[in-house]
Amino acid sequence: MKTALITGANVGIGLATAKALARRGFNLILLCRNEAKGQEAVTTIKRINPAVTVELVLADLTDTDSIRRAAGQIRATHSQLDVLINNAGYSPDRIEFVGTVEKSFYANHIGHFVLTYHLLDLLKAAGEARVINLSSAAYMLGKASRFFQHDKKLSLLAAYGDGKLANVLFTRELATRYADLGITAYAVHPGVVKSNFGSNFTGPIQLLMSVARPFMRSPERGAETSVYLATAPIDVITRKDGKAGGSGGFFADSAPKLVKHVDNINRQAADLWEKTMAFV
């Protein structure tokens, strides 16, 4: 029986993903920030399939000490990890910083990088492991030149885009570095999903989100690509389609998509990795 860890698994796409994997017989580790909501998710998922184990681990993705403790807890109780879904997302309603790093970039990229790095031994032990990073088509709003910059004038959409671009580049570099150790990595655009995403927005962006909400996807639909990448035969996923697809690729609607961004190159991916290592 395989084990999957999902961050932000108590709500929205993360919870929908957890439910779908439970139905498919995965044991689950839910990494959440809020204990009460996490326990509620555990209860819900156990009802779906009592035969699987569902564990709650608490961590704050803007606190690397918290992430390291969580990873240590997981390593102490598990010998391998088959699937890691870095699902949790943070959408800023104002520009603020964790140290010198913009908060949404910290939560969306750095926190997941640190978690993944400290779980690499468990992923290697699985023999064939998959890391799935929830990105977004909003990567198009990002710029690698802004990464780690303390810019108080940064717009909310630019800040969010930077984190989503970092997810794409992290996926690319992770796939390159660990290709020979049985670890594959995929970035995902789940679509525009009717979830808690953007619930903390204010002003014109809040108005735009409220108008668009009736046309958004359900969390279950948004989870489909993550579930596909976690469960489909590896030889199906890793088939190449030109420059799209395969480990390190970007997927939407359970299919590979081209990433059209000037910063999506090996040099930028390697540079981001090296700079993020300072937080490990």
Side-chain angles (χ1 to χ4, degrees):
M1 191 175 285
K2 292 185 176 182
T3 299
L5 186 156
I6 307 170
T7 69
N10 60 288
V11 69
I13 299 171
L15 180 57
T17 303
K19 290 177 178 178
L21 292 183
R23 292 187 183 99
R24 289 162 173 78
F26 276 73
N27 291 325
L28 296 169
I29 305 168
L30 314 184
L31 190 141
C32 305
R33 183 176 58 178
N34 184 294
E35 183 172 9
K37 292 179 180 179
Q39 289 291 0
E40 185 178 340
V42 168
T43 301
T44 298
I45 295 164
K46 282 184 174 179
R47 281 200 216 103
I48 290 172
N49 187 353
V52 303
T53 63
V54 187
E55 306 167 48
L56 175 64
V57 176
L58 300 177
D60 181 343
L61 290 169
T62 63
D63 180 347
T64 50
D65 288 337
S66 167
I67 297 165
R68 282 189 285 268
R69 285 194 298 270
Q73 179 182 339
I74 295 163
R75 290 198 308 270
T77 54
H78 293 268
S79 59
Q80 70 178 59
L81 181 63
D82 300 281
V83 178
L84 169 58
I85 304 179
N86 289 318
N87 164 86
Y90 175 80
S91 51
D93 61 349
R94 64 185 184 277
I95 297 300
E96 54 187 324
F97 295 86
V98 177
T100 61
V101 179
E102 191 274 320
K103 186 175 180 179
S104 70
F105 187 85
Y106 207 113
N108 292 333
H109 168 63
I110 294 173
H112 281 124
F113 182 101
V114 173
L115 176 68
T116 304
Y117 189 86
H118 285 290
L119 295 176
L120 281 172
D121 285 346
L122 296 189
L123 292 165
K124 293 174 190 174
E128 191 269 285
R130 308 177 190 188
V131 179
I132 300 163
N133 296 318
L134 268 285
S135 180
S136 164
Y139 75 78
M140 292 183 289
L141 302 173
K143 288 185 178 181
S145 61
R146 290 195 298 250
F147 292 171
F148 305 102
Q149 299 300 310
H150 192 274
D151 182 3
K152 294 181 180 179
K153 296 181 180 180
L154 190 66
S155 74
L156 298 180
L157 290 177
Y160 184 71
D162 288 352
K164 297 296 100 178
L165 176 60
N167 295 150
V168 171
L169 295 176
F170 169 43
T171 301
R172 183 185 183 113
E173 185 67 9
L174 181 64
T176 299
R177 287 176 180 255
Y178 293 96
D180 296 334
L181 295 173
I183 299 173
T184 54
Y186 313 93
V188 171
H189 170 54
V192 183
V193 176
K194 190 184 302 183
S195 66
N196 280 351
F197 171 76
S199 61
N200 59 333
F201 285 146
T202 57
I205 301 178
Q206 181 187 46
L207 177 61
L208 180 63
M209 291 293 290
S210 64
V211 170
R213 196 164 295 277
F215 305 98
M216 294 179 181
R217 294 180 172 186
S218 67
E220 290 72 24
R221 177 85 190 283
E224 286 177 356
T225 302
S226 293
V227 174
Y228 163 75
L229 290 169
T231 60
I234 195 69
D235 59 335
V236 172
I237 297 172
T238 55
R239 284 187 304 189
K240 297 287 185 179
D241 179 17
K243 295 182 180 179
S247 183
F250 185 83
F251 286 74
D253 296 325
S254 301
K257 307 293 181 183
L258 286 172
V259 174
K260 299 177 181 178
H261 197 294
V262 66
D263 289 331
N264 185 39
I265 56 177
N266 291 338
R267 177 175 57 82
Q268 293 287 12
D271 184 63
L272 175 64
W273 184 285
E274 294 302 329
K275 288 179 178 176
T276 313
M277 282 296 298
F279 297 85
V280 168

